[in-house]
């Protein structure tokens, strides 16, 4: 078996190419999103140009209308002006190719050789349209139902923010092409050679890609060419997130992707059955947070406290995170925190605090979550049978305490005013200059009492890069990542608890190259028969599974010739034995025994049927006799059909059976006498 991590250098390892049992399987197809740095001079030029255009247009149309001029200074007029100004500024920025995209390195991969694509969660599926719509992959794709739906929503959000319809240029550029980097500076031209693309796929691509995916449920067994079984187990990370187990030739391989063992979060918990009786464990999707970062529970408590302090000053809190995943827990946690404080509560009344979720997919994301109760933990799953929604935001949406906004523009704001102070979730965190976050940073950025908290672990670069924050923004910016993923230090305890290993089989563990990986490798290799590997992107790891057995089918024509002989057993049951004569054929990744057309040539190689039956019957009898005497034995059989029974070393003896006689080899007379007694086959009287 060969396993290769095909993620790009310096990317988080999540994507694997697995070649096993004559099959090639791709695990995950994520999408990297990167916003190119832009100089402050460019920002100022764009700002000045957009400002000038806006006020020139306004003055030309309303120069002699005093009421129209004064209307700009009313609260409603100010809001409309701010929105139009922000929209103009955004349109100016969107004319530039500022955001680039990249999928795993497929440059050396023959897509026609891939039999199957497995998806672990929605975040690891965002690059799939490139694979199916532009690179020509035609094979099978499998994912759980919530993974498919949330990946579709997330793709649609990316297209809305970064798609061709937001560009001033009307020319359509193939996302597969790298020639459209001509607008970038010379120092960024290398991005094309590194696999970056400056255009996202289209809505049509998303729909076409989604139609190609086969949905699957947890613990449902799928078969690939009748030679490989696939099972998805809950990883506990998000709705529908899965760890995949592959079984072939009586060997099992587990791919542990983004997983979580955090209690009291909404997804179905981590299913340890994914580690049961497996021979190889491939770990990926580990948290990249440093040891200095707070644990999830402490970070969540600090977040609630920060939001509460901001709201107490009658100012606003912005939370930067996608409109799915941990958001479903945070809304209920924040509501509970405010109830415990006993001051203001979350609600729709004027004296209460509203929550807004601003994203093109906010409404469908929140509503879809509440019909996924069967993919949640046991407590929330039980609510399906009661007149109560599994997630708290469902009831808050009904009362108006939680409201969704598709976008921030004049038409929306004039029809649905944002009531302050409030809490706002801004959705997509991959780019500050696109979407609603940019508007809020400009709209509330003049007060340092407003707070913007980046809680998505993937938004650190956006937060650290000064050029991403609008110039003059005084808002209190906080990076407080909430990451439920497993950390490297969690891996040994999980493996020791749930991965049962013995001293007779060999086991293999693959962990990503990161700080502390070598220590984990040394610790795991102290376990019984375990070989640990630390993998890097691009590295191919060869694993010898030492397969002793292979599944083979019998053709229908040969099966009709089978004439079994029934033999009674000592316990009253019966066994049926039959010899087969045929040729082993390999076709379409399947092994099949078919009738041999040259029977005369191979007849001398066939063991006599009655001799074979006699040998197997005698062997079963002798093994049972040794069990009665509590003597452990080990059975071996060579290519000539001769069976050797190995005895414990202190007996210094062995037994050889060839179907005609039983030979005892022993150096001690007492041992020889005992073995003769055990191996004596009683003769039935006729």
């Amino acid at each position: 078996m060969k396993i290769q991590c095909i993620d790009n250098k310096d990317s988080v390892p999540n994507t694997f190419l697995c070649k096993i049992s004559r099959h090639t399987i791709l695990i995950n197809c994520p999408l990297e999103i990167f916003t190119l740095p832009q100089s402050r001079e460019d920002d100022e030029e764009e700002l000045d140009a957009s400002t000038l255009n806006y006020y020139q247009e306004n003055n030309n149309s309303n120069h002699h209308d005093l009421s129209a001029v004064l209307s700009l200074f009313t609260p409603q007029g100010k809001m409309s002006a701010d929105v139009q100004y922000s929209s103009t500024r955004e349109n100016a920025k969107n004319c530039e190719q500022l955001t680039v995209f990249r999928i795993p390195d497929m440059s050396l991969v023959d897509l026609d050789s891939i039999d199957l694509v497995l998806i672990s969660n929605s975040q690891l599926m965002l690059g799939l349209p490139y694979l199916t719509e532009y690179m020509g992959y035609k094979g099978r794709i499998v994912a759980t139902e919530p993974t498919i739906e949330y990946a579709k929503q997330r793709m649609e959000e990316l297209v809305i923010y970064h798609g061709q319809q937001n560009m001033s240029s009307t020319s359509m550029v193939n996302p597969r092409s790298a020639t459209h980097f001509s607008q970038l500076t010379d120092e960024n031209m290398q991005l094309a050679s590194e696999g970056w693309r400056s255009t996202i796929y289209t809505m049509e691509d998303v729909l076409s890609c989604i139609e190609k995916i086969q949905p699957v449920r947890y613990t449902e067994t799928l078969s690939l060419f009748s030679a490989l079984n696939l099972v998805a187990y809950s990883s506990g990370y998000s709705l529908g997130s899965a760890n995949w187990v592959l079984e072939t030739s009586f060997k099992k391989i587990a791919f542990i992707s983004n997983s979580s063992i955090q209690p009291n979060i909404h997804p179905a918990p981590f299913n340890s059955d994914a580690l049961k009786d497996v021979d190889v464990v491939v770990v990926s999707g580990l948290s990249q947070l440093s040891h200095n970062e707070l644990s999830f529970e402490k970070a969540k408590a600090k977040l609630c406290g920060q939001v509460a302090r901001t709201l107490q000053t009658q100012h606003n809190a912005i939370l930067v995170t996608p409109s799915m995943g941990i958001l479903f827990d945070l809304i209920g946690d924040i509501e509970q925190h405010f109830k415990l404080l006993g001051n203001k509560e979350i609600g729709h009344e004027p004296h209460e605090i509203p929550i807004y979720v601003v994203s093109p997919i906010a409404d469908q994301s929140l509503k879809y979550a509440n019909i996924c109760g069967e993919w949640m933990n046991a407590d929330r799953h039980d609510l399906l049978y009661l007149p109560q929604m599994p997630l708290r935001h469902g009831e808050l949406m009904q009362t108006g305490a939680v409201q969704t906004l598709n976008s921030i523009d004049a038409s929306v704001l004039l029809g649905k005013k944002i009531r302050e102070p409030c809490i706002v979730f801004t959705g997509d965190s991959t780019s500050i200059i696109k979407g609603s976050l940019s508007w809020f940073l400009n709209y509330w950025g003049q007060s340092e009492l407003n707070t913007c908290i980046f809680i998505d672990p993937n938004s650190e670069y956006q937060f650290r890069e000064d050029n991403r924050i609008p110039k003059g923004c005084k808002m209190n910016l906080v990076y407080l990542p909430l990451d439920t993923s497993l950390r490297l230090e969690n891996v040994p305890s999980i493996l020791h608890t749930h991965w049962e290993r013995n001293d007779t089989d060999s086991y293999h563990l693959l962990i990503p190259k990161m700080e502390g990986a070598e220590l984990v490798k040394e610790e795991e290799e102290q376990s019984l028969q375990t070989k640990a590997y630390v993998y890097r992107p691009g590295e191919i790891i060869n694993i010898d599974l030492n397969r002793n057995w292979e599944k083979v089918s019998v053709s229908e024509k040969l099966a009709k010739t089978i004439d079994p002989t029934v033999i009674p057993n000592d316990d009253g049951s019966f066994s049926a034995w039959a010899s087969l004569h045929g040729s082993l054929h390999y076709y379409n990744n399947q092994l099949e025994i078919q009738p041999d057309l040259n029977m005369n040539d191979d007849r001398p190689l066939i063991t006599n049927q009655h001799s074979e039956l006699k040998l197997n019957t005698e062997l079963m009898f002798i093994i049972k006799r040794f069990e009665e005497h509590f003597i452990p034995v080990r059975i071996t059989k060579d290519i000539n059909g001769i069976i050797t029974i190995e005895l414990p070393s202190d007996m210094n003896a062995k037994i050889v059976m060839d179907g005609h006689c039983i030979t005892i080899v022993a150096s001690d007379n007492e041992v020889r006498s005992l073995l003769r007694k055990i191996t004596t086959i009683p003769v039935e009287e006729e």
Side-chain angles (χ1 to χ4, degrees), residues 341-364:
L341 292 178
N343 188 6
K344 285 190 175 183
E345 295 187 4
I346 304 297
H348 65 287
E349 298 293 340
H351 63 279
E352 296 176 324
I353 299 171
I355 294 178
Y356 297 96
V357 184
V358 186
S359 169
I361 63 170
D363 190 65
Q364 56 180 322

Side-chain angles (χ1 to χ4, degrees), residues 52-329:
L52 180 61
N53 291 337
Y54 168 71
Y55 283 107
Q56 283 180 344
E57 293 173 1
N58 184 75
N59 291 338
N60 289 339
S61 60
N62 299 314
H63 182 71
H64 300 292
D65 190 345
L66 180 61
S67 61
V69 174
L70 294 177
S71 67
L72 293 174
F73 297 93
T74 65
Q76 190 179 50
K78 284 183 178 180
M79 182 175 296
S80 177
D82 286 343
V83 170
Q84 293 181 45
Y85 165 74
S86 178
S87 178
T88 304
R89 186 173 183 272
E90 283 301 304
N91 289 336
K93 283 192 173 185
N94 286 340
C95 292
E96 302 291 337
Q97 296 284 352
L98 296 175
T99 304
V100 291
F101 312 89
R102 183 170 67 172
I103 63 173
D105 185 8
M106 301 284 184
S107 58
L108 299 179
V109 178
D110 180 9
L111 293 182
D112 292 333
S113 68
I114 299 178
D115 300 295
L116 177 71
V117 176
L118 299 177
I119 302 297
S120 299
N121 59 66
S122 59
Q123 283 297 112
L124 301 182
M125 182 176 149
L126 300 183
L128 195 60
Y130 286 115
L131 195 68
T132 60
E133 307 308 311
Y134 297 98
M135 300 176 68
Y137 175 71
K138 303 297 182 183
R140 194 174 175 186
I141 308 170
V142 180
T144 62
E145 295 174 5
T147 293
I148 297 173
E149 175 60 28
Y150 278 115
K152 175 178 176 290
Q153 294 179 16
R154 189 74 176 88
M155 291 174 188
E156 291 173 347
E157 183 180 38
L158 290 175
V159 172
I160 291 173
Y161 285 152
H162 306 288
Q164 294 284 351
Q165 63 269 33
N166 284 334
M167 300 180 184
S168 60
S169 173
T170 58
S171 61
M172 297 296 292
V173 183
N174 190 330
R176 175 171 41 191
S177 172
T179 60
H180 46 281
F181 275 94
S182 58
Q183 296 181 4
L184 304 181
T185 60
D186 292 338
E187 60 184 306
N188 289 327
M189 287 297 292
Q190 62 176 338
L191 292 173
S193 62
E194 295 176 356
W196 292 97
R197 311 158 191 264
S198 64
T199 53
I200 193 70
Y201 35 72
T202 66
M203 287 291 189
E204 291 76 12
D205 296 332
V206 172
L207 296 177
S208 178
C209 174
I210 295 299
E211 290 176 353
K212 297 178 174 68
I213 305 173
Q214 175 184 350
V216 67
R217 309 183 72 81
Y218 287 149
T219 69
E220 177 184 349
T221 301
L222 298 180
S223 179
L224 181 65
F225 298 117
S226 302
L228 183 67
N229 290 331
L230 316 164
V231 183
Y233 294 93
S234 171
S235 72
Y237 179 70
S238 61
L239 291 177
S241 63
N243 290 324
W244 288 96
V245 175
L246 284 59
E247 182 176 5
T248 180
S249 303
F250 303 96
K251 297 292 183 178
K252 297 174 70 175
I253 303 94
F255 285 88
I256 307 299
S257 298
N258 296 88
S259 300
S260 176
I261 55 174
Q262 290 291 341
N264 304 321
I265 57 177
H266 68 279
F270 176 83
N271 190 341
S272 60
D273 287 347
L275 296 172
K276 185 177 181 181
D277 300 327
V278 298
D279 302 278
V280 181
V281 176
V282 182
V283 179
S284 64
L286 297 176
S287 173
Q288 301 295 307
L289 300 181
S290 66
H291 297 285
N292 298 328
E293 301 288 353
L294 296 175
S295 66
F296 173 75
E297 290 296 336
K298 291 182 178 179
K300 187 173 68 172
K302 184 177 179 180
L303 169 70
C304 293
Q306 184 79 45
V307 171
R309 288 191 295 271
T310 300
L311 271 295
Q312 285 176 354
T313 64
Q314 299 299 307
H315 286 77
N316 309 286
I318 302 174
L319 304 183
V320 185
T321 184
S323 304
M324 56 187 66
I326 193 62
L327 168 72
F328 302 145
D329 291 305

Side-chain angles (χ1 to χ4, degrees), residues 6 8-9 14 35-36 64 68 72 76 103 148 157 221 226 245 278 291 313 335 392 411 519 523 573 590 612 633 670:
I6 61 173
N8 296 284
K9 184 179 179 181
N14 277 308
T35 301
L36 300 177
H64 300 292
L72 293 174
Q76 190 179 50
I103 63 173
I148 297 173
E157 183 180 38
T221 301
S226 302
V245 175
V278 298
H291 297 285
T313 64
E335 182 199 27
R392 179 58 183 151
S411 61
L519 294 177
E523 179 181 351
S573 62
Q590 287 185 323
E612 183 75 17
V633 297
E670 292 184 2

